[in-house]
Amino acid sequence: MSARRGLCAVSLALVCVGPGVAAGPLPDPTRPPARLYTPAGDAAAAPQSMEPQLQSVLIARHAGGRHVAVIDGQTVRLGEQFRGARVTRMTDNEVVLVKGREHRVLRLFPRTPSPQRLNERD
């Protein structure tokens, strides 16, 4: 009778574990969105038409100090080139790239629309 109980316990354990195994792995909630994620060595899968993303700006407080920005993971200094465009200006939250007559302003934070007034008293 104890062998039968053991067999029932094993069968019950397999029934309880089975559906979880068949469901597959759970998605990682900390993984960046697919449009921003490209596995290493898979450069062909990277979106080519995306605008460059300004990720960080570091400006020294003293006169003549360093101006450094991180754009798409690449560190650039004021006056250097990024993808064929020269970094001409940096502020606390934006970088200006100039390529020929084209000026592109990259911002850390997108511009927010000004609040709309609902009526004259607001």
Short mmCIF file of all heavy atoms in Angstrom, two decimals, residues 45-83:
data_model
loop_
_atom_site.label_atom_id
_atom_site.label_comp_id
_atom_site.label_asym_id
_atom_site.label_seq_id
_atom_site.Cartn_x
_atom_site.Cartn_y
_atom_site.Cartn_z
N ALA A 45 19.54 43.99 -36.98
CA ALA A 45 18.20 44.12 -36.42
C ALA A 45 17.95 45.48 -35.81
O ALA A 45 16.82 45.82 -35.48
CB ALA A 45 17.96 43.04 -35.37
N ALA A 46 18.99 46.29 -35.65
CA ALA A 46 18.83 47.61 -35.03
C ALA A 46 18.07 48.54 -35.97
O ALA A 46 18.35 48.59 -37.16
CB ALA A 46 20.19 48.22 -34.71
N PRO A 47 17.10 49.30 -35.44
CA PRO A 47 16.38 50.24 -36.30
C PRO A 47 17.31 51.36 -36.76
O PRO A 47 17.99 51.97 -35.96
CB PRO A 47 15.27 50.77 -35.39
CG PRO A 47 15.63 50.40 -34.01
CD PRO A 47 16.63 49.29 -34.09
N GLN A 48 17.35 51.60 -38.05
CA GLN A 48 18.27 52.57 -38.61
C GLN A 48 17.67 53.98 -38.67
O GLN A 48 18.40 54.95 -38.79
CB GLN A 48 18.68 52.14 -40.03
CG GLN A 48 19.40 50.81 -40.05
CD GLN A 48 20.70 50.83 -39.28
OE1 GLN A 48 21.42 51.82 -39.31
NE2 GLN A 48 20.99 49.76 -38.58
N SER A 49 16.36 54.11 -38.61
CA SER A 49 15.75 55.41 -38.80
C SER A 49 15.49 56.16 -37.49
O SER A 49 14.96 57.25 -37.52
CB SER A 49 14.43 55.24 -39.55
OG SER A 49 13.54 54.47 -38.77
N MET A 50 15.86 55.57 -36.35
CA MET A 50 15.60 56.24 -35.07
C MET A 50 16.46 57.48 -34.92
O MET A 50 17.62 57.50 -35.33
CB MET A 50 15.88 55.29 -33.90
CG MET A 50 14.76 54.33 -33.65
SD MET A 50 15.03 53.31 -32.18
CE MET A 50 15.32 54.50 -30.92
N GLU A 51 15.89 58.51 -34.34
CA GLU A 51 16.64 59.72 -34.03
C GLU A 51 17.66 59.41 -32.94
O GLU A 51 17.40 58.58 -32.07
CB GLU A 51 15.68 60.79 -33.52
CG GLU A 51 14.77 61.37 -34.59
CD GLU A 51 15.52 62.27 -35.55
OE1 GLU A 51 16.38 63.04 -35.09
OE2 GLU A 51 15.24 62.18 -36.75
N PRO A 52 18.81 60.08 -32.95
CA PRO A 52 19.76 59.89 -31.86
C PRO A 52 19.12 60.31 -30.53
O PRO A 52 18.35 61.27 -30.48
CB PRO A 52 20.92 60.81 -32.21
CG PRO A 52 20.71 61.23 -33.61
CD PRO A 52 19.27 61.02 -33.94
N GLN A 53 19.43 59.58 -29.47
CA GLN A 53 18.87 59.86 -28.16
C GLN A 53 19.93 60.45 -27.25
O GLN A 53 20.96 59.82 -27.00
CB GLN A 53 18.31 58.58 -27.53
CG GLN A 53 17.17 57.98 -28.30
CD GLN A 53 15.95 58.86 -28.30
OE1 GLN A 53 15.52 59.33 -27.26
NE2 GLN A 53 15.39 59.10 -29.47
N LEU A 54 19.68 61.64 -26.74
CA LEU A 54 20.56 62.26 -25.76
C LEU A 54 20.28 61.60 -24.42
O LEU A 54 19.14 61.60 -23.94
CB LEU A 54 20.31 63.77 -25.69
CG LEU A 54 21.14 64.55 -24.67
CD1 LEU A 54 22.63 64.43 -24.97
CD2 LEU A 54 20.71 66.01 -24.67
N GLN A 55 21.31 61.02 -23.82
CA GLN A 55 21.12 60.27 -22.58
C GLN A 55 21.65 61.00 -21.36
O GLN A 55 21.15 60.79 -20.26
CB GLN A 55 21.81 58.90 -22.71
CG GLN A 55 21.18 58.07 -23.81
CD GLN A 55 22.02 56.88 -24.18
OE1 GLN A 55 23.21 56.99 -24.40
NE2 GLN A 55 21.38 55.73 -24.26
N SER A 56 22.66 61.86 -21.54
CA SER A 56 23.25 62.55 -20.39
C SER A 56 24.04 63.75 -20.87
O SER A 56 24.59 63.75 -21.96
CB SER A 56 24.18 61.58 -19.65
OG SER A 56 24.81 62.21 -18.57
N VAL A 57 24.09 64.79 -20.03
CA VAL A 57 24.92 65.97 -20.29
C VAL A 57 25.64 66.30 -18.99
O VAL A 57 25.01 66.41 -17.93
CB VAL A 57 24.08 67.18 -20.75
CG1 VAL A 57 24.98 68.39 -20.97
CG2 VAL A 57 23.29 66.87 -22.00
N LEU A 58 26.95 66.46 -19.08
CA LEU A 58 27.76 66.84 -17.92
C LEU A 58 28.53 68.10 -18.27
O LEU A 58 29.34 68.10 -19.19
CB LEU A 58 28.73 65.71 -17.56
CG LEU A 58 28.09 64.35 -17.27
CD1 LEU A 58 29.15 63.28 -17.21
CD2 LEU A 58 27.31 64.41 -15.99
N ILE A 59 28.27 69.17 -17.52
CA ILE A 59 28.94 70.44 -17.77
C ILE A 59 29.60 70.88 -16.47
O ILE A 59 28.95 70.98 -15.43
CB ILE A 59 27.94 71.51 -18.25
CG1 ILE A 59 27.30 71.07 -19.57
CG2 ILE A 59 28.63 72.86 -18.41
CD1 ILE A 59 26.23 71.99 -20.09
N ALA A 60 30.92 71.16 -16.55
CA ALA A 60 31.65 71.62 -15.36
C ALA A 60 31.15 73.00 -14.95
O ALA A 60 30.80 73.83 -15.79
CB ALA A 60 33.14 71.66 -15.65
N ARG A 61 31.12 73.23 -13.66
CA ARG A 61 30.63 74.52 -13.15
C ARG A 61 31.63 75.65 -13.32
O ARG A 61 31.25 76.81 -13.41
CB ARG A 61 30.25 74.39 -11.68
CG ARG A 61 29.07 73.47 -11.47
CD ARG A 61 28.66 73.47 -10.01
NE ARG A 61 27.60 72.52 -9.78
CZ ARG A 61 26.32 72.84 -9.76
NH1 ARG A 61 25.94 74.07 -9.96
NH2 ARG A 61 25.41 71.91 -9.55
N HIS A 62 32.92 75.34 -13.37
CA HIS A 62 33.93 76.40 -13.49
C HIS A 62 34.17 76.74 -14.96
O HIS A 62 34.00 75.92 -15.85
CB HIS A 62 35.23 76.00 -12.80
CG HIS A 62 35.81 74.71 -13.29
ND1 HIS A 62 36.62 74.64 -14.39
CD2 HIS A 62 35.67 73.44 -12.84
CE1 HIS A 62 36.97 73.38 -14.60
NE2 HIS A 62 36.40 72.63 -13.66
N ALA A 63 34.59 77.97 -15.19
CA ALA A 63 34.82 78.46 -16.56
C ALA A 63 35.91 77.62 -17.23
O ALA A 63 36.92 77.29 -16.62
CB ALA A 63 35.24 79.92 -16.53
N GLY A 64 35.68 77.27 -18.48
CA GLY A 64 36.65 76.48 -19.23
C GLY A 64 36.61 75.00 -18.91
O GLY A 64 37.44 74.24 -19.39
N GLY A 65 35.63 74.57 -18.10
CA GLY A 65 35.52 73.17 -17.72
C GLY A 65 34.98 72.31 -18.85
O GLY A 65 34.57 72.80 -19.90
N ARG A 66 34.98 71.00 -18.62
CA ARG A 66 34.56 70.05 -19.64
C ARG A 66 33.07 70.12 -19.92
O ARG A 66 32.27 70.33 -19.02
CB ARG A 66 34.90 68.63 -19.22
CG ARG A 66 36.36 68.35 -19.21
CD ARG A 66 36.65 66.89 -19.06
NE ARG A 66 35.99 66.33 -17.89
CZ ARG A 66 36.05 65.07 -17.55
NH1 ARG A 66 36.74 64.24 -18.29
NH2 ARG A 66 35.44 64.61 -16.48
N HIS A 67 32.73 69.92 -21.17
CA HIS A 67 31.35 69.74 -21.61
C HIS A 67 31.31 68.38 -22.30
O HIS A 67 31.93 68.19 -23.33
CB HIS A 67 30.96 70.83 -22.62
CG HIS A 67 30.75 72.17 -22.03
ND1 HIS A 67 31.72 72.86 -21.37
CD2 HIS A 67 29.66 72.95 -22.01
CE1 HIS A 67 31.24 74.02 -20.97
NE2 HIS A 67 29.99 74.10 -21.35
N VAL A 68 30.57 67.44 -21.70
CA VAL A 68 30.51 66.07 -22.21
C VAL A 68 29.06 65.64 -22.29
O VAL A 68 28.27 65.94 -21.39
CB VAL A 68 31.29 65.11 -21.28
CG1 VAL A 68 31.22 63.69 -21.80
CG2 VAL A 68 32.73 65.55 -21.12
N ALA A 69 28.73 64.93 -23.36
CA ALA A 69 27.38 64.40 -23.52
C ALA A 69 27.48 62.93 -23.90
O ALA A 69 28.47 62.49 -24.48
CB ALA A 69 26.60 65.16 -24.58
N VAL A 70 26.42 62.19 -23.59
CA VAL A 70 26.32 60.80 -24.03
C VAL A 70 25.12 60.72 -24.96
O VAL A 70 23.99 61.03 -24.58
CB VAL A 70 26.14 59.83 -22.83
CG1 VAL A 70 25.98 58.40 -23.33
CG2 VAL A 70 27.31 59.95 -21.87
N ILE A 71 25.41 60.36 -26.22
CA ILE A 71 24.37 60.24 -27.25
C ILE A 71 24.42 58.80 -27.76
O ILE A 71 25.47 58.36 -28.25
CB ILE A 71 24.60 61.23 -28.41
CG1 ILE A 71 24.71 62.65 -27.88
CG2 ILE A 71 23.49 61.11 -29.43
CD1 ILE A 71 25.17 63.66 -28.93
N ASP A 72 23.32 58.09 -27.65
CA ASP A 72 23.25 56.69 -28.08
C ASP A 72 24.41 55.87 -27.52
O ASP A 72 24.98 55.03 -28.21
CB ASP A 72 23.22 56.58 -29.60
CG ASP A 72 21.91 57.05 -30.20
OD1 ASP A 72 20.94 57.21 -29.45
OD2 ASP A 72 21.87 57.25 -31.43
N GLY A 73 24.78 56.12 -26.27
CA GLY A 73 25.83 55.36 -25.61
C GLY A 73 27.24 55.81 -25.95
O GLY A 73 28.20 55.27 -25.42
N GLN A 74 27.39 56.80 -26.82
CA GLN A 74 28.72 57.29 -27.22
C GLN A 74 29.00 58.61 -26.51
O GLN A 74 28.18 59.52 -26.53
CB GLN A 74 28.77 57.49 -28.73
CG GLN A 74 30.11 57.97 -29.23
CD GLN A 74 30.12 58.17 -30.74
OE1 GLN A 74 29.31 57.57 -31.46
NE2 GLN A 74 30.99 59.02 -31.22
N THR A 75 30.17 58.72 -25.88
CA THR A 75 30.57 59.94 -25.19
C THR A 75 31.18 60.91 -26.20
O THR A 75 32.08 60.53 -26.94
CB THR A 75 31.60 59.63 -24.09
OG1 THR A 75 31.02 58.68 -23.18
CG2 THR A 75 31.98 60.88 -23.33
N VAL A 76 30.66 62.13 -26.23
CA VAL A 76 31.19 63.17 -27.13
C VAL A 76 31.41 64.45 -26.33
O VAL A 76 30.70 64.73 -25.38
CB VAL A 76 30.25 63.45 -28.32
CG1 VAL A 76 30.20 62.27 -29.26
CG2 VAL A 76 28.87 63.81 -27.86
N ARG A 77 32.42 65.20 -26.74
CA ARG A 77 32.73 66.48 -26.10
C ARG A 77 32.32 67.62 -27.03
O ARG A 77 32.16 67.41 -28.23
CB ARG A 77 34.22 66.58 -25.79
CG ARG A 77 34.71 65.54 -24.81
CD ARG A 77 36.22 65.72 -24.58
NE ARG A 77 36.76 64.64 -23.81
CZ ARG A 77 36.75 64.56 -22.48
NH1 ARG A 77 36.19 65.53 -21.78
NH2 ARG A 77 37.28 63.55 -21.86
N LEU A 78 32.20 68.78 -26.46
CA LEU A 78 31.87 69.97 -27.24
C LEU A 78 32.93 70.15 -28.33
O LEU A 78 34.13 70.09 -28.07
CB LEU A 78 31.83 71.20 -26.32
CG LEU A 78 31.33 72.49 -26.93
CD1 LEU A 78 29.88 72.35 -27.38
CD2 LEU A 78 31.44 73.63 -25.93
N GLY A 79 32.48 70.32 -29.57
CA GLY A 79 33.38 70.49 -30.70
C GLY A 79 33.71 69.21 -31.44
O GLY A 79 34.24 69.25 -32.55
N GLU A 80 33.41 68.06 -30.86
CA GLU A 80 33.70 66.79 -31.51
C GLU A 80 32.59 66.41 -32.49
O GLU A 80 31.56 67.06 -32.57
CB GLU A 80 33.87 65.68 -30.48
CG GLU A 80 35.13 65.80 -29.65
CD GLU A 80 35.31 64.65 -28.68
OE1 GLU A 80 34.37 63.87 -28.43
OE2 GLU A 80 36.43 64.53 -28.16
N GLN A 81 32.85 65.33 -33.23
CA GLN A 81 31.91 64.83 -34.23
C GLN A 81 31.08 63.68 -33.66
O GLN A 81 31.59 62.86 -32.89
CB GLN A 81 32.67 64.30 -35.45
CG GLN A 81 33.47 65.35 -36.19
CD GLN A 81 32.63 66.09 -37.18
OE1 GLN A 81 31.70 65.55 -37.76
NE2 GLN A 81 32.96 67.35 -37.40
N PHE A 82 29.81 63.64 -34.06
CA PHE A 82 28.93 62.50 -33.77
C PHE A 82 28.20 62.18 -35.06
O PHE A 82 27.42 63.00 -35.56
CB PHE A 82 27.93 62.83 -32.66
CG PHE A 82 26.95 61.73 -32.41
CD1 PHE A 82 27.31 60.61 -31.69
CD2 PHE A 82 25.67 61.79 -32.94
CE1 PHE A 82 26.41 59.57 -31.49
CE2 PHE A 82 24.76 60.77 -32.73
CZ PHE A 82 25.14 59.65 -32.00
N ARG A 83 28.46 61.01 -35.62
CA ARG A 83 27.85 60.57 -36.88
C ARG A 83 27.93 61.64 -37.97
O ARG A 83 26.96 61.94 -38.66
CB ARG A 83 26.40 60.16 -36.67
CG ARG A 83 26.25 58.93 -35.81
CD ARG A 83 24.81 58.52 -35.75
NE ARG A 83 24.63 57.45 -34.79
CZ ARG A 83 23.47 57.03 -34.36
NH1 ARG A 83 22.36 57.60 -34.80
NH2 ARG A 83 23.39 56.07 -33.49
#
